[in-house]
Amino acid sequence: MSPSDHHWDALWLNVHLATMNAPDGYGEIRDGAVAVRQGRIAWVGRRADLPRAARPPREHDGGGAWLTPGLIDCHTHIVYAGNRSNEWEARLNGVPYEQIAREGGGIVSTVRATRAAGFDELLSASLPRVKALAAEGVTTLEIKSGYGLDLHNEEKMLRVAREIGRRLGLTVRTTFLGAHALPPEYAGRPDDYIDEVCQAMLPALAEQGLVDAVDAFCESIGFTRAQTERVFRAARRHGLPVKLHAEQLSDQGGAQLTARYGGLSADHLEHLSAESIEAMAAAGTVAVLLPGAFYYLRDTRLPPVQALRDAGVPIAVSTDCNPGTSPMTSLLLAMNMACTIFRMTPQEALAGATVNAARALGLAASIGSLEPGKNADFALWHIDRPGDLAYAMGFNPCAQIVKDGVARGA
């Protein structure tokens, strides 16, 4: 794009940039500037290098703030109804999870509450959680279905997710997670339920344009690798990318399967094998780490971060916001946990919530770093250095977000 002033709509000055387009670092530009045209980044660089005639209609003084790409929460179950704090408290008081599940708790309780909630009720319950993410600089998030487990309620969840994006002016990517758990009406008949997911639910939802990607829970307490592959084949028939809850509790070979289908990401990965890491690296499949769930479940087996690094697998970080295992609405806290618990560096954590999270959603061409041609989605922060974003707990230094070139908040 031409750097002349009449080609720019707005200009951000007096900012330090963490462009996140450097392979090993923040891509820092001190005293930088970002120009925007028609909702996209038109120019990025040092203020000293700005063309002398560059004076667009709107100039924004960043006040010495740091400017980063808008944060991306690439794995959430943030649309749901009900509350499972009673189960959490019961577990802490010594009640076994198996007993809670037998008494109608666990994921089934969230399914029951989500099915009972109307569209407006489900939207009202979910909006505050997403607003909390947005207040911390999140401009894009993924929202999964998977608490409906029938066509009507999965559709309701996905329509709520789309409406959240419209209401809040955020980019929302929807993921169909019909293969999340076995609904009560299919007890003992998992293959029949997978038939329903592949032959009825997915075709109907895809036809309505409600699905951006397809996910499943491949696990000893979820669905088998063979059942997961049936879901993947169905996704391929509809031209939809896949991702997977993989290797969280055991090694089912799910990440390897995901790589074989060119999957966007494999998520959790505490029990990931060396063979699966090699397959992910070859396929370009992103490793999405979810430290909130690790923390909440008191897990002790760390995902193989160093092996992922050594293999060159991109690593993303996300909240995994859900009512049962990660009721967290702070991506900054997830970044801190990734550093303190998973031994990632602050730069890796920020890359995990920007450029690598964009790759995990199939959006690397349009968001995730500050580069000409990408969407003008960024966040301004009152911090001294980029590493501060993963440093403090319970502290939100976000001063402003800019979405498609339009500034919000102050």
Side-chain angles (χ1 to χ4, degrees):
M1 294 182 188
S2 168
S4 61
D5 57 329
H6 65 275
H7 280 253
W8 295 350
D9 301 325
L11 182 65
W12 272 261
L13 297 165
N14 195 15
V15 287
H16 306 301
L17 309 180
T19 63
M20 304 312 295
N21 65 355
D24 298 306
Y26 296 105
E28 294 182 35
I29 300 176
R30 297 272 177 169
D31 195 11
V34 179
V36 172
R37 178 177 181 265
Q38 296 180 351
R40 293 184 178 273
I41 297 172
W43 188 92
V44 179
R46 298 189 310 152
R47 176 160 59 168
D49 295 332
L50 271 171
R52 291 185 181 180
R55 280 295 174 265
R58 293 190 304 279
E59 288 190 7
H60 300 268
D61 184 344
W66 276 88
L67 189 151
T68 71
L71 301 189
I72 302 163
D73 199 352
C74 63
H75 180 130
T76 86
H77 307 254
I78 207 163
V79 169
Y80 63 87
N83 183 306
R84 281 160 63 183
S85 66
N86 59 326
E87 298 175 19
W88 176 72
E89 186 170 6
R91 287 203 307 274
L92 293 178
N93 280 311
V95 180
Y97 180 78
E98 292 75 11
Q99 180 180 337
I100 293 170
R102 277 198 308 272
E103 294 172 355
I107 190 174
V108 175
S109 67
T110 299
V111 171
R112 190 164 52 244
T114 302
R115 285 179 172 183
F119 179 93
D120 290 337
E121 182 183 350
L122 189 57
L123 178 64
S124 296
S126 305
L127 275 170
R129 296 188 281 264
V130 181
K131 286 178 180 177
L133 289 177
E136 285 193 353
V138 170
T139 55
T140 298
L141 72 153
E142 184 237 30
I143 299 178
K144 302 179 190 291
S145 66
Y147 292 128
L149 306 185
D150 62 31
L151 177 56
H152 170 71
N153 288 293
E154 289 288 293
E155 178 185 342
K156 177 178 65 180
M157 289 188 70
L158 293 168
R159 289 194 182 280
V160 167
R162 290 278 196 242
E163 181 62 19
I164 285 171
R166 284 190 287 269
R167 290 278 183 101
L168 301 184
L170 304 174
T171 297
V172 170
R173 300 295 281 183
T174 53
T175 297
F176 172 57
L177 182 56
H180 190 198
L182 196 62
E185 59 270 25
Y186 278 90
R189 298 186 295 129
D191 283 316
D192 289 345
Y193 179 63
I194 294 296
D195 285 342
E196 176 72 9
V197 166
C198 297
Q199 297 170 19
M201 294 164 71
L202 179 54
L205 297 170
E207 185 180 357
Q208 296 175 67
L210 291 174
V211 183
D212 296 321
V214 176
D215 194 355
F217 183 36
C218 183
E219 191 50 78
S220 55
I221 61 170
F223 295 96
T224 67
R225 179 172 166 148
Q227 289 161 347
T228 300
E229 185 165 13
R230 289 174 59 197
V231 174
F232 282 5
R233 286 201 299 265
R236 178 169 282 179
R237 286 195 295 273
H238 292 278
L240 293 166
V242 299
K243 51 180 54 193
L244 191 65
H245 287 65
E247 276 72 89
Q248 180 185 12
L249 306 173
S250 61
D251 183 4
Q252 300 290 316
Q256 249 179 307
L257 177 67
T258 307
R260 184 148 58 81
Y261 279 80
L264 294 173
S265 71
D267 305 29
H268 286 291
L269 305 179
E270 282 82 351
H271 292 260
L272 189 65
S273 69
E275 293 76 19
S276 289
I277 292 172
E278 185 178 342
M280 289 175 67
T285 298
V286 177
V288 178
L289 303 187
L290 306 169
F294 183 96
Y295 162 86
Y296 208 74
L297 292 172
R298 297 178 175 174
D299 207 343
T300 56
R301 180 170 177 138
L302 293 166
V305 171
Q306 188 59 51
L308 289 166
R309 275 193 200 112
D310 293 343
V313 175
I315 302 174
V317 175
S318 184
T319 63
D320 190 20
C321 178
N322 76 79
T325 62
S326 188
M328 177 165 65
T329 54
S330 171
L331 188 52
L332 295 179
L333 180 57
M335 290 163 59
N336 174 272
M337 288 179 168
C339 295
T340 54
I341 301 174
F342 289 169
R343 319 293 198 267
M344 291 174 67
T345 68
Q347 184 274 329
E348 287 174 327
L350 184 54
T354 54
V355 62
N356 289 339
R359 292 182 66 169
L361 296 182
L363 297 176
S366 58
I367 58 173
S369 60
L370 303 178
E371 298 179 72
K374 291 198 173 183
N375 294 0
D377 292 1
F378 37 85
L380 280 78
W381 309 91
H382 289 316
I383 54 177
D384 294 324
R385 49 191 303 278
D388 288 351
L389 293 178
Y391 161 69
M393 295 179 288
F395 174 60
N396 179 13
C398 187
Q400 184 181 69
I401 65 169
V402 176
K403 186 75 177 73
D404 300 320
V406 177
R408 304 179 192 174

